[in-house]
């Protein structure tokens, strides 16, 4: 049986060397279009697919390999007598090696000025058909979609004259993952183009960023995947400058810290433990902001994750160095700050492109047997229909404080209460089964600083007990969604104590 390899690739890295070696091993090389020209230029003997099919490439190259002379050679069972008779009858030569990768659809739609026509033209048809045919027939055909597999295939062909069955199956599985991901990306693009929010089928694809040592606990396996063309302003697209490998819990906490610090335009620092903020501070510079975040809860910050929205300078680095931290996230680190912080070998330093667009993505949450999908909670106070529900309106300073509390409370696990002033959080109550319990935690943590502070709640007060607790502690203003059937009771209690209370009409549950 004559040995044939079909090569047609968009990514031409290493393909000339691969084809040359196949030719030296006795393979006849078939190719098309640009790949054929590239191989000929490299001195590789090539037969055009049109010479095999007896039919020219037509429709601007849209049709060239969709032909029985090609697909018969890909799908035939080489040891089946019936198939052999039909191949002989139609003078079809089997193809033992297929090397194909697809039109650059992802790269095309990534261009900011891409037009729909260009995107559509970069939807490959013949390539996936050849890949799927070859992968289906992997018992007989070696199919390569990834240039990193060239070396493995050549090594086995050189050693034994054949590719091992286990290798062929692994390559076939990679092909089906590759074509599924390719189609998923096209499906997502076309679904967005059609303006459909809840399609009857949801297809998503992610690429492996790194294997993790374990998951939430050491007995759980885990991995970190990145969304192709996902938000650049994300942990998934961050760069690690120093420190040991990120863990599953590190990544979750780092994402939580980043989402909070994104809320602020002026210098801000966020400290996170177990996906809840334990300290948030703003200031005239990053040093000032971090000093306030640290002061907010100097106990819980131990072993925490810090996110800063300004470059880390030497003074801030010295203060950060004094504390045991897991991760520091920032747009950049000065040379001097890197010298200081890299003195701790395990401290992870991450840079995130803060100057890129904050691309709001759908939030996917897996449950056993299913998936929940929702919009990102990007609702801002400026978007809300804010109403002062009490007789007294907040002062200018209280408004600033209420705004900071509202930015933070939506990132705290429900039931969520934040006590703060205009520059920093003072107490955070998270994840309690009743709202007054969360409020009491936040008040207790704030200590003496609670007097004259404000309070933010992620959801309405079902009773007036939270207002009562806030008033007795010295809280002067409250921001909450409102909407309880007992709002009047809470308003009456606030008026009784002279508290200014603002309703936003917007709930910020975070489970």
């Amino acid at each position: 049986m004559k040995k044939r390899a079909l090569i047609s690739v968009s990514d031409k890295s290493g393909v000339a060397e691969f084809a040359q070696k196949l030719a030296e091993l006795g393979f006849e090389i078939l190719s098309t279009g640009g790949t054929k020209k590239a191989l000929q230029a490299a001195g590789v003997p090539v037969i055009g697919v049109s010479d095999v099919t007896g039919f020219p490439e037509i429709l601007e190259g849209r049709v060239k390999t969709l032909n029985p002379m090609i697909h018969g050679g890909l799908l035939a069972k080489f040891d089946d007598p019936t198939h052999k008779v039909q191949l002989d009858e139609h003078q079809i030569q089997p193809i033992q090696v297929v090397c194909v990768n697809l039109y650059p659809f992802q790269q095309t739609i990534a261009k900011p000025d891409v037009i729909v026509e260009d995107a559509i033209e970069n939807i490959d048809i013949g390539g996936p058909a050849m890949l799927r045919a070859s992968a289906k027939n992997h018992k007989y055909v070696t199919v390569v979609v990834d240039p990193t597999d060239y070396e493995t295939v050549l090594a086995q062909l050189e050693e034994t004259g054949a590719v091992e069955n286990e290798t062929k199956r692994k390559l076939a599985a990679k092909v089906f993952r590759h074509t599924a991901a390719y189609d998923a990306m096209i499906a997502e693009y076309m679904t967005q183009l059609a303006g459909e929010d809840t399609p009857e089928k949801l297809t998503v694809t992610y690429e492996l960023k790194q294997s993790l040592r374990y998951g939430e606990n050491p007995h759980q396996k885990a991995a970190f995947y990145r969304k192709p063309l996902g938000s650049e302003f994300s942990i998934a697209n961050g760069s690690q400058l120093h420190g040991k490998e990120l863990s599953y819990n590190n990544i979750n906490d780092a994402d939580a810290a980043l989402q909070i610090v994104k809320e602020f335009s002026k210098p801000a620092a966020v400290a996170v433990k177990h996906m809840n903020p334990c300290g948030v501070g703003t200031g005239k510079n990053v040093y000032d902001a971090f000093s306030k975040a640290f002061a907010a809860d100097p106990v819980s910050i131990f072993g925490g994750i810090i996110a800063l929205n300004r470059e880390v300078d030497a003074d801030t680095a010295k203060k950060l160095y004094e504390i045991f931290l897991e991760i520091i996230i920032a747009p950049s680190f000065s040379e001097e700050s890197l010298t200081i912080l890299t003195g701790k070998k395990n401290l992870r330093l991450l840079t995130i492109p803060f100057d890129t667009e904050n691309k709001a993505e759908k939030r996917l949450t897996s449950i056993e047997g299913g998936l929940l999908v929702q919009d990102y909670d990007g609702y801002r106070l400026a978007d809300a229909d804010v109403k002062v529900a009490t007789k007294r309106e907040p002062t200018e300073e209280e408004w600033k404080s209420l705004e900071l509390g509202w930015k933070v409370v939506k990132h705290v696990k429900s039931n969520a209460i934040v006590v703060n002033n205009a520059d920093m959080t003072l107490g955070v109550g998270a994840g309690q089964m009743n709202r007054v319990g969360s409020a009491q935690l936040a008040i207790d943590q704030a200590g003496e600083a609670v007097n004259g502070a404000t309070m933010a709640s992620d959801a309405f007060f079902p009773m007036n007990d939270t207002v009562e607790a806030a008033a007795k502690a010295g809280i002067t203003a409250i921001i909450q969604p409102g909407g309880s059937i007992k709002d009047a009771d809470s308003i009456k209690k606030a008026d009784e104590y002279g508290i200014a209370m603002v309703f936003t009409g917007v709930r910020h549950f975070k489970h």
Side-chain angles (χ1 to χ4, degrees):
M1 185 187 295
K2 187 183 293 184
K3 295 190 293 185
R4 272 187 167 177
L6 172 58
I7 302 177
S8 179
V9 293
S10 175
D11 177 1
K12 296 178 175 56
S13 55
V15 74
E17 295 81 357
F18 181 62
Q20 183 63 58
K21 197 65 183 177
L22 288 175
E24 291 171 8
L25 291 168
F27 281 84
E28 197 172 63
I29 309 297
L30 310 184
S31 193
T32 64
T35 305
K36 178 186 171 187
K37 291 177 184 175
L39 295 182
Q40 287 174 328
V44 180
V46 184
I47 298 172
V49 164
S50 295
D51 296 327
V52 174
T53 63
F55 204 91
E57 293 183 15
I58 62 170
L59 307 178
E60 301 173 284
R62 283 185 167 200
V63 179
K64 48 195 172 191
T65 57
L66 296 169
N67 188 286
M69 300 300 289
I70 298 300
H71 284 268
L74 299 178
L75 286 163
K77 299 176 184 177
F78 299 168
D79 55 4
D80 186 311
T82 305
H83 283 212
K84 189 175 185 309
V85 167
Q86 290 179 12
L87 291 177
D88 290 343
E89 179 185 351
H90 297 288
Q91 297 183 316
I92 297 173
Q93 291 281 347
I95 299 170
Q96 292 84 0
V97 174
V98 171
C99 175
V100 170
N101 50 57
L102 308 176
Y103 291 172
F105 181 79
Q106 179 177 331
Q107 294 90 326
T108 301
I109 63 172
K111 297 173 184 174
D113 57 348
V114 65
I115 58 174
V116 173
E117 288 74 18
D118 285 344
I120 298 299
E121 280 308 309
N122 276 279
I123 296 175
D124 204 330
I125 302 300
M130 288 188 290
L131 286 172
R132 288 173 59 82
S134 305
K136 174 179 178 175
N137 205 33
H138 66 271
K139 179 180 178 181
Y140 307 97
V141 180
T142 300
V143 56
V144 188
V145 73
D146 185 347
T148 63
D149 293 316
Y150 292 167
E151 188 176 338
T152 299
V153 170
L154 291 174
Q156 292 185 12
L157 286 172
E158 285 179 313
E159 187 175 344
T160 65
V163 178
E164 296 171 4
N165 288 334
E166 183 182 358
T167 301
K168 288 195 286 189
R169 178 157 288 178
K170 286 181 178 178
L171 292 172
K174 181 180 277 193
V175 161
F176 283 119
R177 292 194 299 272
H178 184 80
T179 56
Y182 190 79
D183 282 340
M185 199 169 300
I186 295 168
E188 183 177 15
Y189 177 81
M190 294 298 294
T191 299
Q192 289 173 356
L193 206 61
E196 297 186 55
D197 285 332
T198 52
E200 77 292 343
K201 293 279 193 301
L202 180 67
T203 52
V204 294
T205 185
Y206 290 83
E207 299 166 344
L208 182 65
K209 181 177 173 71
Q210 68 185 89
S211 296
L212 302 174
R213 298 191 306 278
Y214 53 83
E216 283 184 294
N217 300 290
H219 60 275
Q220 294 171 272
K221 291 183 179 179
F224 183 21
Y225 285 82
R226 172 174 50 205
K227 181 178 174 62
L229 305 184
S231 174
E232 291 183 44
F233 195 178
S234 66
I235 297 299
N237 283 293
S239 299
Q240 186 168 349
L241 305 183
H242 178 72
K244 62 182 181 180
E245 185 180 278
L246 292 170
S247 72
Y248 181 97
N249 292 331
N250 288 157
I251 294 165
N252 263 326
D253 284 341
D255 178 64
L258 180 62
Q259 298 311 317
I260 302 169
V261 86
K262 282 181 181 183
E263 298 279 354
F264 298 93
S265 56
K266 66 180 184 178
V270 172
V272 162
K273 284 289 287 291
H274 307 302
M275 295 182 68
N276 276 310
C278 58
V280 177
T282 62
K284 59 182 182 293
N285 53 46
V286 72
Y287 179 88
D288 185 31
F290 176 68
S291 298
K292 290 171 183 173
F294 174 75
D297 190 347
V299 175
S300 298
I301 201 172
F302 183 86
I305 281 78
I306 305 298
L308 308 158
N309 64 357
R310 296 291 191 277
E311 179 175 87
V312 178
D313 56 24
D315 288 341
T316 308
K318 288 173 186 174
K319 193 167 181 67
L320 289 162
Y321 189 87
E322 294 170 0
I323 312 160
F324 168 60
L325 298 170
E326 291 279 359
I327 304 171
I328 301 171
I329 303 161
S332 57
F333 294 80
S334 72
E335 294 269 342
E336 195 173 356
S337 73
L338 279 175
T339 301
I340 295 165
L341 294 171
T342 53
K344 290 188 173 183
K345 67 175 184 177
N346 290 330
L347 176 61
R348 302 152 176 100
L349 304 179
L350 300 183
T351 58
I352 305 291
F354 274 70
D355 56 348
T356 55
E357 180 187 358
N358 185 21
K359 187 177 176 182
E361 296 179 351
K362 296 280 188 182
R363 290 297 192 251
L364 312 181
T365 304
S366 64
I367 62 167
E368 191 165 355
L371 185 73
L372 291 168
V373 182
Q374 67 173 341
D375 290 336
Y376 169 72
D377 183 4
Y379 209 96
R380 304 166 303 168
L381 191 60
D383 302 320
D385 183 16
V386 178
K387 295 176 180 176
V388 178
T390 50
K391 294 175 183 176
R392 186 174 78 80
E393 292 200 6
T395 66
E396 185 178 345
E397 188 70 7
E398 284 172 339
W399 274 118
K400 292 177 184 176
S401 184
L402 292 172
E403 183 177 4
L404 186 145
W406 192 244
K407 286 178 178 178
V408 175
V409 78
K410 81 173 188 178
H411 297 280
V412 178
K413 298 285 187 180
S414 300
N415 287 312
I417 295 288
V418 171
V419 171
N420 62 281
N421 60 32
D423 300 316
M424 59 187 280
T425 55
L426 302 169
V428 177
Q432 298 306 297
M433 282 59 73
N434 62 76
R435 191 154 300 278
V436 72
S438 288
Q440 200 57 58
L441 282 175
I443 289 166
D444 291 346
Q445 186 189 341
E448 292 180 4
V450 71
N451 194 40
T454 65
M455 176 182 283
S457 174
D458 66 338
F460 62 61
F461 298 149
M463 299 180 186
N464 65 8
D465 51 1
T466 302
V467 179
E468 178 87 33
K472 289 181 177 178
I475 296 289
T476 64
I478 295 172
I479 188 168
Q480 58 130 319
S484 168
I485 58 172
K486 294 189 176 181
D487 273 348
D489 291 347
S490 292
I491 295 168
K492 182 179 178 182
K493 184 65 66 175
D495 281 335
E496 181 183 325
Y497 285 99
I499 291 175
M501 188 157 64
V502 173
F503 285 178
T504 65
V506 180
R507 191 180 73 188
H508 277 312
F509 271 160
K510 182 179 174 65
H511 285 94

